[in-house]
Amino acid sequence: DAGVTQSPTHLIKTRGQQVTLRCSPKSGHDTVSWYQQALGQGPQFIFQYYEEEERQRGNFPDRFSGHQFPNYSSELNVNALLLGDSALYLCASSLITGGSSPLHFGNGTRLTVT
Amino acid sequence: AQSVTQPDIHITVSEGASLELRCNYSYGATPYLFWYVQSPGQGLQLLLKYFSGDTLVQGIKGFEAEFKRSQSSFNLRKPSVHWSDAAEYFCAVGGRGSGGSNYKLTFGKGTLLTVNP
């Protein structure tokens, strides 16, 4: 049973560019959340998708957008990259009807903006 | 607003010694509480969770945590630390989702555990 998979594992971009990160949830899960983890910090919630809609959003600018597909996989898009966007981006999946279903995290995508 | 404080940035213990990592949270209702562990370059692995019921919860790898509502704490403990426990530990708080959403987590800044042989 595959867990949460993210691609790519590492990415280097230049300021001003755009980037797309991808996530496949754990089998059976229907909700995907994205978190940003800056160096030396705890993860911060970006947004959550369920039924292909953004359901909750953290304190991130509109440059951060996402999408969820019918197969529950998800993409995170970041436009007009800034140096401060360099971080580990973590995808987490869960089952919304589980009530007390814990989040399962992928290994993340390390984004470096130069 | 929900928040988590992990007062200890870095803790060093000897292998075989006991361990307690502190976590204090702020949340307006009954919280969901979690401890995750992260090895370098890796994602987060769930150690244990509290949703309701018994306030002493058991997790994987011999870890346990106790929810103390009066102290807004959820400290992580292990009676005997192994060298492989060296990692960063994150406490997180969330609450029941609503309106077609699941809960979101607020994490502390983490505690880095070093284990001396």
Side-chain angles (χ1 to χ4, degrees):
Chain A
D1 178 21
V4 179
T5 58
Q6 293 186 242
S7 63
T9 55
H10 294 83
L11 204 51
I12 299 175
K13 290 287 188 177
T14 303
R15 276 179 298 174
Q17 286 188 318
Q18 178 264 343
V19 68
T20 297
L21 310 181
R22 295 176 176 82
C23 171
S24 293
K26 180 179 169 63
S27 178
H29 284 183
D30 55 13
T31 304
V32 173
S33 301
W34 287 91
Y35 289 77
Q36 179 196 66
Q37 185 178 19
L39 201 60
Q41 301 294 315
Q44 283 194 292
F45 176 75
I46 302 175
F47 43 51
Q48 180 185 102
Y49 277 83
Y50 170 65
E51 291 187 329
E52 303 178 48
E53 290 185 16
E54 183 182 292
R55 299 291 182 158
Q56 295 188 76
R57 189 178 184 90
N59 189 26
F60 279 81
D62 292 345
R63 297 187 298 108
F64 289 77
S65 63
H67 190 78
Q68 185 180 34
F69 299 94
N71 66 352
Y72 307 116
S73 67
S74 176
E75 289 182 349
L76 164 65
N77 300 292
V78 186
N79 293 323
L81 284 167
L82 304 174
L83 294 179
D85 295 331
S86 295
L88 180 68
Y89 288 85
L90 295 165
C91 172
S93 71
S94 60
L95 184 60
I96 197 168
T97 56
S100 56
S101 165
L103 299 185
H104 291 255
F105 283 84
N107 285 336
T109 294
R110 172 72 63 187
L111 173 64
T112 302
V113 182
T114 63
Chain B
Q2 55 197 59
S3 66
V4 174
T5 301
Q6 293 181 249
D8 304 305
I9 296 173
H10 187 192
I11 284 183
T12 299
V13 300
S14 297
E15 190 168 17
S18 63
L19 173 70
E20 182 170 26
L21 301 183
R22 295 183 291 164
C23 172
N24 292 97
Y25 69 89
S26 174
Y27 189 75
T30 300
Y32 295 166
L33 293 162
F34 307 81
W35 276 98
Y36 284 87
V37 61
Q38 185 176 40
S39 298
Q42 299 296 308
L44 300 171
Q45 181 184 21
L46 179 67
L47 285 177
L48 47 77
K49 61 188 184 294
Y50 171 81
F51 287 103
S52 65
D54 193 347
T55 57
L56 184 63
V57 294
Q58 303 297 321
I60 62 172
K61 304 184 180 185
F63 285 93
E64 68 176 27
E66 187 171 10
F67 170 51
K68 294 186 177 180
R69 184 188 301 274
S70 62
Q71 299 177 20
S72 297
S73 70
F74 189 58
N75 294 347
L76 182 71
R77 301 191 293 252
K78 186 170 185 178
S80 178
V81 171
H82 188 262
W83 65 265
S84 61
D85 293 325
E88 187 143 29
Y89 291 79
F90 292 95
C91 180
V93 66
R96 183 181 300 277
S98 62
S101 65
N102 207 347
Y103 58 86
K104 64 178 183 182
L105 293 182
T106 297
F107 286 84
K109 293 187 176 182
T111 297
L112 180 64
L113 175 65
T114 298
V115 181
N116 287 334

